[in-house]
Amino acid sequence: MNAELAQNPEAKGDKHEAFPVVSVNSRIAGSGMHVPERVIPNSHFASYLETSDEWIRDRTGISERRWVEGTVGASELAEPAARRAIARAGLKPEQIDGIVFATVTPDYVFPSSACFLQQRLGISGGLAFDVNAVCSGFVYALVTADALIAKGLCRRVLVVGADIYSKIINHNDRRTCVLFGDGAGAVVLVAAGGDEATGSAVTGGGGMIRGIYASELGADGSGTDILCTPMGTAAPATPDSLLTDAHYLRMEGREVFKLAVRRLAEINQHVIEANGFSLEQVDYFVSHQANRRILQAMGKNLGIPDEKVLMNVERYGNTSAASIPILLAEAEEQGTLTKGSLVALSAFGGGVTWGAVLLRW
Ligand SMILES: CC(C)(COP(=O)(O)OP(=O)(O)OC[C@H]1O[C@@H](n2cnc3c(N)ncnc32)[C@H](O)[C@@H]1OP(=O)(O)O)[C@@H](O)C(=O)NCCC(=O)NCCS
């Protein structure tokens, strides 16, 4: 019996004998989330735009979102989430040897928000960098951290998703400004075998080993136009661009909607079935929270029960890279996710980008 099976006595039970053998490099040891205090209800928009609480709830499932007040950087928003995730993992900040920070609203152009967060946590020495994959950012960051652990470059990686879209949306565009919220979430990914392990472990027949079982990432750069925030070296801010609001987020909502539903269903099915599992074996689907209707349509396409598709978009709106780790942290806190839950993460976002991860909590 290897060290992993010894730590998972339930793996010997008959119930899970149908699970395939999987190879695991890392597992999530703890999660945390943080959102700003300030609640923005739908009535805020109805007070100055041609929209209504009813339209927003009906078309998106969103009732309220949180926005920062004044100037707050992504690393500041992320710090409480990171500290909670580290504490839940039973670690101290100085034991973290890598920070992978998913965001498209970083503190500065450079240095990275990962380095700012490192400074805030009072640690140094491990690696730290940002990942830009828009709403798929957290999944990209998690898969990157898993690969860093597999390569032996790190043993305890803080994976963060934090975004502050209230600073990049056009507050006068009803098609987009109602959709987004600010927030941060984090997990700590540790080498699967624990501190003494080499960082790689293969499970036996029980299949109850906790950790990342499979993942996939993808992108299609032909879709850069359908969702973008054109501010950067190819579109520097000018007096004219500022006057015409040209540098704010733009989206072809209907197109994004259709692509998101199709891709989320495809990647879930693929990451689960190509690795020998069935959709029925998955306990929870934790997908990027953009719109309730997208999540419902994804669930319908996959033929899975509604209660398996976790949601909190109603309270936070679309928090981009933060949405999945916020949902994970809430589900862990509420006891929905328990040791051994089989979870499928999936995201779709600007780029266009997508990604999925199958893991055992
Ligand atoms: C944005 C979104 C909610 C719009 O919903 P929709 O049902 O597709 O609505 P449409 O874009 O077809 O617009 C229908 C009408 O509602 C209007 N409308 C758009 N936003 C509105 C709002 N906040 N209030 C009232 N009316 C609104 C549109 O102007 C349009 O009016 P028109 O027919 O007179 O032109 C939806 O497309 C969506 O969620 N897309 C994906 C967004 C997303 O998830 N992005 C991030 C992905 S990572």
Side-chain angles (χ1 to χ4, degrees), residues 11-273:
K12 289 179 288 188
D14 291 338
K15 187 174 154 222
H16 295 287
E17 267 171 13
F19 286 112
V21 171
V22 289
S23 163
V24 175
N25 300 306
S26 69
R27 68 177 170 86
I28 293 178
S31 63
M33 54 85 71
H34 177 69
V35 290
E37 293 279 305
R38 186 160 69 122
V39 177
I40 308 293
N42 290 343
S43 56
H44 164 79
F45 304 99
S47 72
Y48 72 100
L49 290 171
E50 257 191 61
T51 188
S52 64
D53 176 46
E54 196 191 358
W55 192 97
I56 301 168
R57 276 179 203 259
D58 204 49
R59 307 308 295 163
T60 71
I62 300 167
S63 298
E64 59 187 39
R65 71 289 292 140
R66 305 295 185 97
W67 284 352
V68 297
E69 266 185 294
T71 303
V72 175
S75 67
E76 183 179 341
L77 196 62
E79 185 184 346
R83 287 194 182 278
R84 189 154 309 167
I86 294 168
R88 276 225 185 108
L91 296 172
K92 296 198 162 60
E94 54 272 26
Q95 291 176 283
I96 296 296
D97 58 11
I99 300 179
V100 185
F101 195 127
T103 187
V104 292
T105 51
D107 299 55
Y108 287 0
V109 171
F110 72 85
S112 67
S113 287
C115 284
F116 279 115
L117 182 59
Q118 213 187 20
Q119 189 185 57
R120 287 178 173 279
L121 294 173
I123 58 179
S124 62
L127 59 82
F129 60 94
D130 287 2
V131 166
N132 173 338
V134 203
C135 298
S136 310
F138 179 78
V139 174
Y140 266 67
L142 190 66
V143 174
T144 304
D146 181 50
L148 290 170
I149 288 174
K151 275 286 178 196
L153 285 161
C154 298
R155 304 191 52 75
R156 299 172 212 97
V157 184
L158 179 65
V159 185
V160 180
D163 269 309
I164 302 181
Y165 272 48
S166 61
K167 303 295 181 200
I168 62 166
I169 49 175
N170 180 345
H171 288 262
N172 293 311
D173 178 4
R174 68 177 185 174
R175 292 166 304 166
T176 51
C177 70
V178 303
L179 304 174
F180 297 95
D182 302 337
V187 301
V188 174
L189 200 67
V190 298
D195 276 355
E196 305 312 316
T198 59
S200 174
V202 178
T203 69
M208 287 296 284
I209 301 308
R210 299 168 65 205
I212 292 183
Y213 284 5
S215 53
E216 64 177 68
L217 301 175
D220 178 359
S222 69
T224 50
D225 282 350
I226 62 168
L227 176 51
C228 64
T229 302
M231 177 174 38
T233 50
T238 62
D240 191 46
S241 76
L242 293 174
L243 282 173
T244 56
D245 292 339
H247 55 292
Y248 286 128
L249 180 149
R250 290 185 208 154
M251 180 172 64
E252 289 174 33
R254 221 174 287 184
E255 192 57 26
V256 173
F257 190 102
K258 280 188 291 189
L259 280 177
V261 171
R262 204 181 66 215
R263 190 64 74 186
L264 287 172
E266 273 171 16
I267 55 176
N268 268 303
Q269 186 155 18
H270 193 253
V271 83
I272 294 162
E273 292 181 349

